[in-house]
Amino acid sequence: MTIQTPAGASRSDMAGARAPATTASRPALTVIVPAYNEAASIADTIASLLAQTTPPETIIVVDDGSTDATGEIARSFGVTVVRPARNTGSKAGAQNFALPLVTTPFVMAIDADTTLDHDAIELLSRSFDDASIAAACGFVIPRYVKSVWERGRYIEYLFAFTFYKRVQDHYGRPLISSGCFSMYRTAILRAEGGWPTRTLAEDMDLTWSFYRSGHGVRFVPEAVSNPIEPHTYAFLAKQLRRWSHGFVQNVSLHWRGISGIPYLRSAVAVATWDAVIASTLYLIILPIAAVVFGNPWLLLGYLIDAPALLVPVLAGAVPRREVGRALASFPAFFIIRSVNAVFFVEAVWSEWILRKSFLTYEKGH
Amino acid sequence: MSIGLPGTGVGAAFYLLSALWAPVRTLLGRGDRRSRGFGIALVAVGIIAALSLATIALSLALPEARVQVITLEPDAASGGLSTTLLLVALLSPFGTLALIMLVVRVGAAILTRRARSIAAPFVDDALVGLGDESLEVAS
């Protein structure tokens, strides 16, 4: 069965739009899964949604012009599959394509390479008992931890989600409601115009827009998602380019607007300083100083904070019973941090000095 | 997404102080009922303890290296200079952070005053200066 959507695209399998019932009552929730050539991972994503303790009322997969079997695989699960006439150009575009079809008061976006712990939706839903909350996000931890890049990202996430994000949440200002796994009030999301496409970091843009409109955002560490992180440098580079340019674009777009939001403005100012000044010092000044002063001990500066990093990392790893994995992956973090710094310096140089805004969405997980 | 240099830089100082302040904030009645902040403060204390132990261990294991790192001169033996530079190295992130916070606060006050002075009845304060002209006028 094929139905024309308002956007003029074909919408298949409406009869199977409802996910099969499993256990507890369903939240009035629609999950949107944007997918472009995700045949290898989409089945796991949908299966994890259907296996939730509180499965969503509706699952909509946006097959965004895939050339592989993404649509067919999704359809085999009995969920709604919609396909735009042509590729929308970004994850936000694909999600917006499905937004008019949402009839539930809550909507969730999840990447097509992300799985959820079985109770993630139930735990995340509880945030919305507070009427001021517009969006909620959960803990993110890579599903596979094998390559050096995945290991570095694993430590980065353990650190950030165990410490930084919890601190931000205490002050009521999580910096980003992560795009790979977030839930929203549909009406507020629509009032903001859906997922913004004006920057490369639509999740950050949307989060800061919520704050500016007076809404709240929550981080729920118990709700865990497992995305597939870049396993090669090529994929990592695409992701970091998108993130770094997206951050700089959002600072340019929102800096005046968030100046009236106390904790957020401080966190953004500090992040900007670290992205611009600290990254430059880290990459350039430290090695130059070691050469100029003929003192290789200065290079210890790259590792000097290792004990400080290890505490939150272990605090995050112990409850997950992943201490061995965390210790084995720890050295990789220092590599990915240096790469991270390079991309942020490049983004600042390109966006603010050369005035060349990078707006091409490159898929890289 | 992690921005900048997670774990180091001024950001580390900012989150360390934020975490230590969180339970105090709760006790003062300014906290959020969702999170009392004791857990993150404990992590912050653990970070400080780990850094202190690492510094002591490094000093004991590599006394020459410590002098070299701190004074930048392999043959320097001035303990007074070492201590001064060590304090500078430890305190500089917090000094920088204080400066950034001051600039942010003053900048925010100026922007707020300017926004109020130019705000017409149909302009939404929250949208002033968004950077996207089409969004500056409230519907």
Side-chain angles (χ1 to χ4, degrees):
Chain A
M1 174 172 163
T2 300
I3 294 174
Q4 286 302 117
T5 66
S10 64
R11 179 180 177 186
S12 308
D13 293 341
M14 282 296 291
R18 307 283 166 167
T22 52
T23 52
S25 63
R26 296 176 180 183
L29 170 72
T30 298
V31 176
I32 296 174
V33 187
Y36 174 70
N37 287 347
E38 300 281 7
S41 58
I42 188 93
D44 289 341
T45 300
I46 298 172
S48 87
L49 289 170
L50 296 176
Q52 290 293 300
T53 52
T54 53
E57 194 174 298
T58 309
I59 298 171
I60 301 174
V61 173
V62 183
D63 178 11
D64 200 6
S66 298
T67 54
D68 64 5
T70 298
E72 289 72 30
I73 293 170
R75 221 169 271 121
S76 71
F77 282 87
V79 302
T80 303
V81 178
V82 294
R83 186 178 167 99
R86 57 188 169 88
N87 184 278
T88 59
S90 67
K91 189 169 81 173
Q95 290 167 178
N96 285 332
F97 182 78
L99 192 55
L101 307 174
V102 175
T103 55
T104 51
F106 298 101
V107 61
M108 197 177 103
I110 177 174
D111 285 358
D113 59 8
T114 299
T115 57
L116 302 178
D117 279 8
H118 69 288
D119 55 354
I121 288 181
E122 183 181 359
L123 294 168
L124 211 56
S125 301
R126 292 177 189 165
S127 305
F128 294 93
D129 292 344
D130 180 345
S132 70
I133 298 301
C137 59
F139 202 100
V140 181
I141 201 81
R143 196 184 325 168
Y144 304 120
V145 184
K146 290 175 184 168
S147 73
V148 66
W149 311 114
E150 290 168 324
R151 288 183 181 279
R153 185 54 59 73
Y154 170 69
I155 296 298
E156 183 182 327
Y157 281 179
L158 268 183
F159 174 80
F161 285 92
T162 302
F163 189 44
Y164 280 11
K165 200 117 182 176
R166 283 177 200 252
V167 174
Q168 293 164 3
D169 187 60
H170 175 82
Y171 289 87
R173 298 284 181 238
L175 210 53
I176 310 165
S177 193
S178 311
C180 71
F181 170 48
S182 280
M183 193 184 294
Y184 311 90
R185 281 187 202 279
T186 310
I188 296 176
L189 178 62
R190 283 199 173 116
E192 292 291 343
W195 285 274
T197 54
R198 56 193 172 180
T199 74
L200 285 175
E202 84 291 338
D203 48 1
M204 180 181 283
D205 191 354
L206 185 59
T207 306
W208 295 3
S209 296
F210 282 146
Y211 290 138
R212 294 180 62 178
S213 301
H215 304 299
V217 175
R218 272 228 59 192
F219 167 59
V220 183
E222 297 81 13
V224 179
S225 64
N226 301 103
I228 297 175
E229 291 295 328
H231 58 288
T232 65
Y233 178 77
F235 274 126
L236 180 84
K238 286 179 181 177
Q239 189 190 56
L240 286 180
R241 191 156 193 229
R242 213 170 58 225
W243 286 0
S244 56
H245 280 262
F247 169 71
V248 177
Q249 290 162 2
N250 273 296
V251 173
S252 302
L253 185 67
H254 288 284
W255 70 274
R256 286 187 185 175
I258 62 172
S259 66
I261 306 172
Y263 194 82
L264 181 66
R265 71 186 176 207
S266 301
V268 171
V270 164
T272 307
W273 173 275
D274 275 351
V276 181
I277 308 297
S279 291
T280 307
L281 291 171
Y282 187 80
L283 292 171
I284 299 171
I285 306 299
L286 210 52
I288 287 177
V291 170
V292 168
F293 293 105
N295 190 341
W297 289 107
L298 284 169
L299 297 176
L300 269 178
Y302 286 113
L303 305 171
I304 203 78
D305 60 339
L309 285 161
L310 203 53
V311 172
V313 166
L314 290 177
V318 167
R320 299 177 58 81
R321 299 180 181 178
E322 293 177 356
V323 172
R325 174 184 275 189
L327 291 174
S329 304
F330 195 61
F333 172 76
F334 296 94
I335 299 170
I336 207 170
R337 183 165 72 177
S338 301
V339 175
N340 218 26
V342 171
F343 275 86
F344 273 89
V345 169
E346 187 279 328
V348 168
W349 180 260
S350 173
E351 297 275 341
W352 285 347
I353 309 295
L354 301 180
R355 296 280 176 187
K356 285 184 181 172
S357 195
F358 178 68
L359 286 168
T360 305
Y361 191 94
E362 294 177 305
K363 183 173 176 286
H365 285 295
Chain B
M1 178 197 304
S2 293
I3 303 150
L5 299 167
T8 189
V10 174
F14 174 72
Y15 286 106
L16 206 56
L17 291 178
S18 294
L20 291 172
W21 180 248
V24 180
R25 192 168 168 263
T26 300
L27 293 173
L28 292 174
R30 292 172 58 197
D32 194 314
R33 60 186 156 80
R34 304 173 315 202
S35 157
R36 295 167 68 194
F38 291 103
I40 51 177
L42 194 63
V43 172
V45 170
I47 289 172
I48 292 167
L51 276 176
S52 305
L53 286 173
T55 306
I56 292 167
L58 199 64
S59 304
L60 293 175
L62 301 165
E64 288 180 16
R66 175 175 170 271
V67 170
Q68 288 173 12
V69 170
I70 292 165
T71 64
L72 306 177
E73 294 171 16
D75 57 349
S78 166
L81 182 60
S82 299
T83 307
T84 305
L85 289 175
L86 178 63
L87 282 173
V88 168
L90 286 172
L91 295 177
S92 61
F94 293 97
T96 308
L97 177 62
L99 196 62
I100 293 170
M101 293 299 104
L102 182 68
V103 169
V104 166
R105 203 161 184 119
V106 170
I110 292 170
L111 284 172
T112 305
R113 181 173 292 183
R114 189 179 294 173
R116 281 184 185 150
S117 68
I118 64 170
F122 55 85
V123 175
D124 184 347
D125 270 355
L127 295 177
V128 169
L130 180 64
D132 180 343
E133 296 295 321
S134 64
L135 291 176
E136 288 194 13
V137 180
S139 56

